[in-house]
């Protein structure tokens, strides 16, 4: 049994379907990126996982149990959602002490998680004086208090500067290396591409792809070629007949699954004049955009 299992999860708001029959697993020891453009349904799904949104149908379970059924949920799942809020007059150390006492976590966890997120030296300052990055660290510290095997973070890179993002990447890798199942959402692939092992890609509430990052967004399409042709429509049709995927942008064709040599031969047979021909590396970002149907 995977530490997190989502099955046929759907959520409607009135007659708007925000999440449509999503199914996926999250594995221990791996960072899973939950990716999709704005409005794709990421936060709704994560809130449904955490019992904050009631699914219209389907389920999300942790070791077979829904979040609401977990005894001491903080020891099973740690989460940072978009709207983390703090008592502004408290220090980070006191904030965490209160949380630990309320949830029955050992007091020693407070110092441990402060160290994990690098807040030990700032821990006695009032939270109202904290920067956005420090608040994000504190929210993560709170999620880790119960030493949970599952960590869920909704857009944790939002508002972080480049050093903050690079710190976050390191933290996510460390948490997975410690054996946790880490689920991190983002609408910006570049923020997480270097960090994630697996990805789940959604758009319009629907699952578009899932699996290891390389397999889903990487070079599994094989070679790709960019060709500029005198008659791009005719060449495009010929390439498609030969089984290649073709995207047209003006008189330039992006051909997936074909080398320049193959494209050149097909153009020769069709007697279409080729004005330019080059191999092309398809970036992760392009693969992501084409999967989610969004355009940069
Ligand atoms: N309480 C609600 N009532 C009505 N519609 C909602 C509600 N919550 C979310 N939605 C809609 O559901 C869709 C998915 O929203 P959601 O916040 O899950 O997207 P997201 O992928 O997290 O987007 P973002 O990247 O902007 O955070 C959006 O169209 C949103 O307007
Ligand atoms: Mg969101």
């Amino acid at each position: 049994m995977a530490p997190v299992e989502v099955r046929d999860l759907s959520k409607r708001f009135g007659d708007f379907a925000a999440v449509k029959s999503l199914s996926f697993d999250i594995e221990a020891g791996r960072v899973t990126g939950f990716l999709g453009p704005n409005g794709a349904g990421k936060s709704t799904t994560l809130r449904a996982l955490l019992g904050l949104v009631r699914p219209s149908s389907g389920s999300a379970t942790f070791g077979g149990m829904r979040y609401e059924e977990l005894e001491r949920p903080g020891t099973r799942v740690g989460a940072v959602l978009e709207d983390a809020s703090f008592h502004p007059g408290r220090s980070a150390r006191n904030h965490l002490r209160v949380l630990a006492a309320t949830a029955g976590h050992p007091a020693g966890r407070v110092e441990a998680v402060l160290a994990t997120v690098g807040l030990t030296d700032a821990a006695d300052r009032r939270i109202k004086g904290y920067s956005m990055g420090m608040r994000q660290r504190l929210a993560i510290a709170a999620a880790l208090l119960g030493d949970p095997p599952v960590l869920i973070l909704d857009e944790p890179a939002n508002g972080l500067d480049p050093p903050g993002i690079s710190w976050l990447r390191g933290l996510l890798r460390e948490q997975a290396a410690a054996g946790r199942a880490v689920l991190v959402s983002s609408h910006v692939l570049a923020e997480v591409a270097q960090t994630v092992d697996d990805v789940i890609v959604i758009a319009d509430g629907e699952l578009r792809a899932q699996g290891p990052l390389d397999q889903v967004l990487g070079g599994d399409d094989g070679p790709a070629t960019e060709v500029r042709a005198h008659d791009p429509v005719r060449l495009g049709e010929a390439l498609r007949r030969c089984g290649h995927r073709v995207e047209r942008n003006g008189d330039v064709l992006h051909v997936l699954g074909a080398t320049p040599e193959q494209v050149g031969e097909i153009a020769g047979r069709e007697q279409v004049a080729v004005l330019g021909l080059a191999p092309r590396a398809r970036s992760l970002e392009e693969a992501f955009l084409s999967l989610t149907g969004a355009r940069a």
Side-chain angles (χ1 to χ4, degrees):
M1 192 184 287
V4 183
E5 295 186 348
V6 175
R7 292 293 174 270
D8 270 328
L9 186 76
S10 298
K11 178 63 190 177
R12 280 184 303 277
F13 295 108
D15 52 14
F16 176 73
V19 176
K20 303 172 193 165
S21 197
L22 283 189
S23 295
F24 58 83
D25 287 353
I26 305 297
E27 303 294 340
R30 298 175 76 82
V31 179
T32 302
F34 190 41
L35 307 175
N38 291 140
K42 303 179 299 294
S43 297
T44 304
T45 302
L46 298 183
R47 295 174 67 81
L49 256 62
L50 298 164
L52 298 167
V53 151
R54 194 201 181 102
S56 304
S57 60
S59 65
T61 52
F62 304 89
M65 279 193 279
R66 287 183 298 120
Y67 188 86
E68 306 90 289
E69 298 168 338
L70 297 175
E71 246 176 76
R72 305 194 62 216
T75 63
R76 305 291 298 278
V77 187
V80 178
L81 297 182
E82 290 162 316
D83 47 8
S85 64
F86 311 101
H87 189 305
R90 261 189 203 140
S91 70
R93 183 171 270 121
N94 279 337
H95 171 72
L96 293 172
R97 279 182 180 156
V98 170
L99 292 180
T102 309
H105 304 314
R109 287 294 298 161
V110 170
E111 296 310 313
V113 298
L114 282 169
T116 301
V117 303
L119 277 184
T120 305
D121 292 343
D124 288 324
R125 282 166 47 190
R126 281 167 203 259
I127 298 168
K128 66 180 170 197
Y130 273 24
S131 69
M132 203 166 209
M134 291 166 82
R135 283 165 198 256
Q136 194 62 267
R137 287 175 192 240
L138 178 56
I140 295 172
L144 290 171
L145 265 179
D147 201 7
V150 175
L151 188 60
I152 295 177
L153 307 167
D154 194 8
E155 304 262 5
N158 270 359
L160 295 186
D161 57 9
I165 290 178
S166 118
W167 168 81
L168 178 69
R169 286 186 180 133
L171 178 105
L172 297 176
R173 292 295 345 151
E174 271 169 32
Q175 297 304 315
R180 288 188 228 274
V182 180
L183 181 61
V184 54
S185 84
S186 180
H187 63 285
V188 186
L189 173 66
E191 275 173 2
V192 296
Q194 297 171 32
T195 314
V196 300
D197 303 298
D198 300 317
V199 291
I200 296 160
V201 181
I202 66 167
D204 293 329
E206 290 173 337
L207 185 71
R208 293 292 167 88
Q210 70 182 115
L213 176 74
D214 305 346
Q215 242 167 308
V216 174
L217 298 172
D220 267 11
D221 288 328
T225 296
E226 191 170 282
V227 58
R228 206 158 68 80
H230 190 66
D231 188 344
V233 174
R234 193 146 66 86
L235 180 57
E237 283 165 5
L239 288 161
R240 286 194 189 95
R241 280 200 303 278
C242 294
H244 303 303
R245 254 180 71 204
V246 182
E247 289 162 12
R248 188 179 149 204
N249 185 2
D251 62 352
V252 175
L253 301 176
H254 302 303
V255 190
L256 302 176
T259 62
E261 289 77 9
Q262 287 170 314
V263 172
E265 271 174 28
I266 292 167
R269 279 208 302 276
E270 288 296 311
Q271 301 192 318
V272 176
V274 167
L275 310 174
L277 187 63
R280 187 155 171 282
R282 196 156 106 112
S283 70
L284 283 179
E285 194 65 38
E286 285 174 296
F288 178 59
L289 290 176
S290 101
L291 265 180
T292 56
R295 290 283 166 261

